[in-house]
Amino acid sequence: MVETVVDTFNSLLGIGVSQDSLTWWHMAMRAVVVFMAALALIRLGSHRIFGKNTAFDIVLGIIYGSVLSRAITGNSPFWPTIAAALTLVLLHKLLAILAFKTNSGFGNLIKGKSQELVKDGQLQWDVMRSNSVTENDILEALRHAGHQPDISTIAVACLERNGDISIICKE
């Protein structure tokens, strides 16, 4: 019984068929299974993987998508590709736990750290230059935060690890 179910499943996915022999419905079935597997793996990992986050999260998202696409197109063996995707999610989770537990050192290494762009109304040009942030970027962040676009009103503006600019205005 179990063998028959496995054989049927493998037949629907075109497992054991050469890449050139995969039909449109093999690819469609693979897409459905990969989608469900990816959803389950993301739930296992972290919802942050595809949010607006650090380079650490974005890199995983790019590699994860690339690996899973190979399972759909048949460029790689199906089950080992799913296993590779699971490995990536678990690695991301492990590194995130290590970053949390080490607080600053390791976390800063893989996720980066915030940097002050404005301090007491004064632009920090060296930090801005090294991060390719313009005065207009800071003014835009002020407007997004609902403030008048006046840099002298800023107590602190930071470039956060995820690329956002956060602003604390003077009282």
Side-chain angles (χ1 to χ4, degrees), residues 45-126:
S46 168
H47 68 280
R48 292 182 20 149
I49 292 174
F50 293 102
K52 185 174 184 202
N53 283 290
T54 63
F56 168 68
D57 300 312
I58 293 167
V59 165
L60 174 70
I62 292 167
I63 294 171
Y64 187 69
S66 175
V67 166
L68 286 177
S69 71
R70 298 178 71 75
I72 294 172
T73 60
N75 290 340
S76 295
F78 189 79
W79 293 116
T81 304
I82 298 296
L86 173 62
T87 302
L88 288 170
V89 169
L90 294 176
L91 177 63
H92 181 270
K93 191 167 188 95
L94 174 68
L95 292 175
I97 289 168
L98 287 173
F100 176 78
K101 291 196 181 283
T102 61
N103 233 355
S104 60
F106 185 69
N108 288 345
L109 177 67
I110 64 169
K111 293 183 176 189
K113 62 181 185 176
S114 64
Q115 298 185 42
E116 282 189 356
L117 300 170
V118 179
K119 186 173 183 176
D120 195 31
Q122 299 297 312
L123 295 171
Q124 305 300 301
W125 288 105
D126 289 342

Side-chain angles (χ1 to χ4, degrees), residues 22-49:
L22 287 174
T23 65
W24 67 268
W25 55 271
H26 284 135
M27 301 275 277
M29 289 304 297
R30 284 174 173 235
V32 169
V33 172
V34 167
F35 177 81
M36 298 307 244
L39 191 59
L41 291 171
I42 292 298
R43 296 293 299 141
L44 175 70
S46 168
H47 68 280
R48 292 182 20 149
I49 292 174

